[in-house]
Amino acid sequence: MQDPNPAQGHQTTPGHERTDADTRKVLMFGVGLAVIIVAACLAMWITFGYLNAHQPLTGPPPSPLASGRRLPPEPRLQVSETEDIGKTVAEEDKQLGSYGWIDKDGGVAHIPVDRAMDLILERGIPGGTNEAAKSKAPGS
């Protein structure tokens, strides 16, 4: 059963609410917003065109006779990783395969790895107990 006198603002038939939202105002807002967006895009296009046409020169053009590559300021990035690794490995191999002083005053030197392994086999680990090495040592 329907109320013969519906209250103001209440709707009795299906559809949208006519009293709360004014369709015409919502549409006018949308059109106004679209106009503002188009105007802003047009203003940016004109501004960028003007700035591109009146861009100041950043410096004299490079000489066509200039040759060579200009290096960037320090610190520079690694140019050839494989070459740098090769140099590092060669230096390490030289250090591991040669005799030299670490602390001459303290009497500390480095010896080649192969010689150090032979000495360990002959004498055992310094400060450790190595009965097998002592029993096989010459003169025991």
Side-chain angles (χ1 to χ4, degrees):
M1 183 150 162
Q2 278 189 336
D3 186 13
N5 297 324
Q8 181 69 15
H10 287 71
Q11 187 172 341
T12 58
T13 60
H16 67 278
E17 296 179 12
R18 297 172 195 251
T19 58
D20 290 342
D22 187 1
T23 309
R24 185 176 188 163
K25 288 182 181 178
V26 171
L27 286 175
M28 290 304 291
F29 175 77
V31 169
L33 186 62
V35 168
I36 289 172
I37 291 172
V38 168
C41 290
L42 183 64
M44 285 191 299
W45 183 64
I46 291 170
T47 302
F48 283 126
Y50 173 80
L51 291 176
N52 281 337
H54 295 89
Q55 183 176 6
L57 296 176
T58 57
S63 169
L65 301 176
S67 63
R69 195 173 81 180
R70 291 177 47 186
L71 294 175
E74 294 284 343
R76 295 190 185 102
L77 298 177
Q78 191 173 33
V79 177
S80 174
E81 182 179 1
T82 55
E83 185 178 318
D84 293 342
I85 289 174
K87 287 179 184 177
T88 302
V89 169
E91 289 172 7
E92 290 173 349
D93 287 344
K94 181 180 176 185
Q95 175 79 18
L96 292 174
S98 65
Y99 292 90
W101 288 106
I102 294 174
D103 181 11
K104 192 170 187 176
D105 296 334
V108 179
H110 67 85
I111 62 174
V113 174
D114 294 335
R115 178 64 182 143
M117 290 173 24
D118 292 340
L119 289 174
I120 293 287
L121 286 175
E122 289 175 13
R123 303 178 187 171
I125 297 175
T129 56
N130 194 347
E131 297 300 324
K134 288 181 183 177
S135 65
K136 292 181 183 177
S140 50

